[in-house]
Amino acid sequence: NAGVTQTPKFQVLKTGQSMTLQCAQDMNHEYMSWYRQDPGMGLRLIHYSVGAGITDQGEVPNGYNVSRSTTEDFPLRLLSAAPSQTSVYFCASRFKASSYNEQFFGPGTRLTVL
Amino acid sequence: TQLLEQSPQFLSIQEGENLTVYCNSSSVFSSLQWYRQEPGEGPVLLVTVVTGGEVKKLKRLTFQFGDARKDSSLHITAAQPGDTGLYLCAGSYAGNNRKLIWGLGTSLAVNP
């Protein structure tokens, strides 16, 4: 199993540009989520999904969209990038929605918005 | 609002030393997890504790969940350079077992 994969590893955008961060998992996990990690702020939940076709907002959803058309894929879209979105983004998955389950993280995407 | 406080924030020690890091809250958690994150990587789960007073061991790492389930500690015996990383705790409430509350982490450097 590849686990949770994310692409790209690094990205530089200009203010106002849009892009999609890709996330895929091959473990047949129901629950997938996106976090951003910033110094002094820790891991903050952006959006999550409890299954294909079902998504919901986390703590910091503004400026981001998600969709879950398949169990495997959970892309994160930045609609109009802003410098405040400079961060490290992690996709994560777990077998079921309950947080008792082990959460698997991808390697992260390091995004810089100029 | 930061509901899980981790201390110390930074720790730099020599190889072979022992250390303890803490994760504290004023709230009761139904479960608590510890993750380690190495530079440039995502967090990796070390352990999940669910019972008050529970102690779990993972080689040189000992994890304890407080009796009241409001705090937890991670003790490392004879630290190795490979233990270097960011240690994160994350807890979930009984009323919302989908949501994880994250601490800011303890950044540990073990010098050879």
Side-chain angles (χ1 to χ4, degrees):
Chain A
N1 287 350
V4 180
T5 58
Q6 290 183 240
T7 56
K9 184 80 170 175
F10 300 94
Q11 183 70 49
V12 179
L13 291 178
K14 294 181 180 179
T15 296
Q17 288 184 318
S18 62
M19 77 160 296
T20 299
L21 280 62
Q22 301 293 342
C23 173
Q25 53 90 10
D26 62 357
M27 299 173 282
N28 201 31
H29 285 176
E30 286 187 356
Y31 183 94
M32 296 185 74
S33 57
W34 277 100
Y35 288 89
R36 59 179 290 175
Q37 187 175 37
D38 303 287
M41 302 294 289
L43 282 164
R44 291 183 291 170
L45 184 65
I46 304 171
H47 285 285
Y48 65 94
S49 168
V50 298
I54 306 169
T55 63
D56 207 345
Q57 296 180 350
E59 304 170 62
V60 288
N62 292 342
Y64 308 94
N65 273 357
V66 292
S67 60
R68 183 102 179 267
S69 57
T70 67
T71 299
E72 294 78 18
D73 300 299
F74 190 45
L76 177 72
R77 298 182 187 85
L78 279 68
L79 308 173
S80 177
S84 61
Q85 293 179 304
T86 293
S87 186
V88 181
Y89 291 85
F90 289 100
C91 180
S93 75
R94 56 187 190 239
F95 179 56
K96 294 286 185 180
S98 170
S99 57
Y100 290 116
N101 294 281
E102 178 176 0
Q103 187 145 260
F104 294 83
F105 285 82
T109 294
R110 284 142 189 83
L111 175 68
T112 301
V113 182
L114 303 175
Chain B
T1 303
Q2 184 61 44
L3 299 178
L4 266 177
E5 294 189 357
Q6 292 191 242
S7 61
Q9 190 175 357
F10 300 99
L11 191 56
S12 180
I13 62 171
Q14 294 301 119
E15 182 176 0
E17 292 184 7
N18 301 332
L19 67 115
T20 302
V21 298
Y22 300 92
C23 175
N24 295 300
S25 173
S26 58
S27 303
V28 176
F29 288 99
S30 60
S31 69
L32 195 134
Q33 297 176 330
W34 284 92
Y35 289 79
R36 179 169 66 211
Q37 183 178 17
E38 297 186 9
E41 301 293 331
V44 175
L45 180 69
L46 296 172
V47 76
T48 300
V49 286
V50 297
T51 304
E54 182 176 6
V55 176
K56 283 191 172 180
K57 293 190 176 183
L58 183 66
K59 297 183 180 178
R60 294 176 292 99
L61 279 61
T62 301
F63 304 85
Q64 184 161 8
F65 202 14
D67 291 341
R69 291 184 288 136
K70 293 182 177 181
D71 57 88
S72 182
S73 63
L74 159 59
H75 181 79
I76 301 179
T77 303
Q80 305 291 315
D83 296 325
T84 293
L86 180 67
Y87 289 81
L88 295 160
C89 64
S92 64
Y93 296 111
N96 184 356
N97 69 353
R98 292 183 176 183
K99 184 176 181 180
L100 275 175
I101 309 298
W102 291 88
L104 296 183
T106 293
S107 180
L108 172 65
V110 182
N111 306 301

